């Protein structure tokens, strides 16, 4: 496995007592705190898709409720500084993002606004994460977007390379540049090359 950033519990001598949150394929991006309970409740990771590892069962249960109501999407939120309502941002490869209001009492979501209401998800192309090995067998990932309604075979292919190297890689989500070229008949691949951050020390230092 790769050397990745994780969240650990240490003793007074700095020795690891417990691994609270970790992934072999992605670095921890940030801890998550509950400002009402005043405690650490989870950790956010950016890998193939954004993910939260909740170490608090109540917040894990809330995530499951929201994911069941909004399937096929990444549903992102942070614990608010009160216990009544909170904002949820839901996105996918075809939806740039929709904002909802979650009510803790009713456990229901209320639609607030689309971040780009002029984008129609049904007209968008599918994007997915693909994995492959480089010539030296270093495992790499890339976001692959293919035109809608066309067989993904024998297509002209564009390679779009992100800046950096000190930037996070491509993850599963809507990408304006990829969607534009896919709508013109191109397949688009966006690789997470060596030096991309968030994928572990081995990948970064390579």
């Amino acid at each position: 496995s790769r050397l990745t950033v994780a969240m650990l519990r240490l003793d007074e001598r700095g020795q690891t007592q417990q691994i609270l949150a970790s992934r072999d394929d992605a670095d921890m991006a940030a801890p998550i705190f509950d400002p009402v309970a005043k405690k650490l409740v989870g950790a956010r990771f950016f890998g193939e898709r954004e993910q939260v590892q909740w170490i608090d069962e109540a917040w894990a249960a809330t995530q499951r409720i929201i994911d069941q109501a909004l399937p096929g999407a990444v549903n992102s939120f942070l614990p608010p500084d009160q216990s009544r309502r909170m904002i949820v941002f839901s996105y996918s490869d075809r939806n740039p993002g929709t904002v909802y209001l979650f009510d803790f009492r009713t456990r229901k979501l209320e639609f607030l606004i689309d971040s780009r209401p002029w984008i129609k998800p049904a007209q968008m192309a599918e994007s997915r994460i693909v994995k492959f090995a480089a010539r030296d067998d270093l495992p790499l990932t890339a976001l692959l977007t293919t035109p809608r309604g066309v067989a993904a075979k024998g297509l002209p292919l564009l390679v779009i390379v992100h800046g950096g190297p000190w930037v996070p890689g491509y993850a599963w989500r809507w990408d304006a540049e990829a969607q534009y070229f896919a709508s013109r008949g191109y397949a688009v691949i966006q690789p997470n090359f060596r030096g991309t951050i968030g994928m572990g020390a081995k990948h970064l230092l390579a």
Side-chain angles (χ1 to χ4, degrees):
S1 64
R2 306 178 192 178
L3 296 172
T4 53
V5 177
M7 186 162 66
L8 311 176
R9 186 188 302 278
L10 307 179
D11 63 18
E12 64 275 6
R13 296 168 297 175
Q15 300 300 307
T16 300
Q17 296 296 298
Q18 183 183 4
I19 299 175
L20 297 174
S22 70
R23 284 180 56 174
D24 288 340
D25 62 341
D27 291 324
M28 187 190 81
I32 299 176
F33 294 92
D34 182 337
V36 175
K38 293 182 171 55
K39 66 178 183 178
L40 180 69
V41 292
R44 190 176 304 280
F45 290 82
F46 293 98
E48 294 178 17
R49 66 174 66 191
E50 179 184 347
Q51 180 193 45
V52 170
Q53 287 186 13
W54 297 103
I55 59 176
D56 180 89
E57 177 51 36
W59 283 107
T62 299
Q63 182 79 66
R64 288 192 294 269
I65 290 170
I66 293 171
D67 287 346
Q68 288 170 6
L70 302 170
V74 172
N75 303 306
S76 181
F77 60 86
L78 289 174
D81 58 6
Q82 38 72 31
S83 301
R84 297 183 300 276
R85 295 176 295 274
M86 71 176 178
I87 293 293
V88 174
F89 185 68
S90 179
Y91 66 87
S92 71
D93 59 334
R94 292 179 171 93
N95 178 14
T98 301
V99 180
Y100 295 89
L101 190 66
F102 181 77
D103 188 296
F104 287 102
R105 183 181 60 83
T106 63
R107 300 291 192 181
K108 299 295 183 183
L109 288 159
E110 177 189 348
F111 168 82
L112 290 183
I113 191 171
D114 283 317
S115 61
R116 292 178 175 88
W118 55 90
I119 298 295
K120 308 304 179 187
Q123 298 175 3
M124 296 295 105
E126 177 189 8
S127 296
R128 58 190 175 94
I129 293 291
V130 294
K131 301 179 183 181
F132 55 96
R135 286 172 294 178
D136 59 359
D137 291 329
L138 181 74
L140 300 178
T141 63
L143 185 68
L144 176 65
T145 304
T146 51
R148 186 173 62 90
V150 178
K153 184 177 181 180
L155 296 169
L157 176 71
L158 284 174
V159 181
I160 298 178
V161 181
H162 67 68
W166 295 98
V167 296
Y170 291 107
W172 184 78
R173 67 186 312 146
W174 185 86
D175 184 277
E177 199 170 17
Q179 291 290 339
Y180 172 79
F181 286 112
S183 74
R184 269 64 183 168
Y186 292 92
V188 179
I189 193 164
Q190 297 165 284
N192 292 322
F193 53 83
R194 295 166 177 78
T196 301
I197 67 171
M199 306 181 73
K202 181 179 178 181
H203 193 91
L204 175 65
L205 296 175

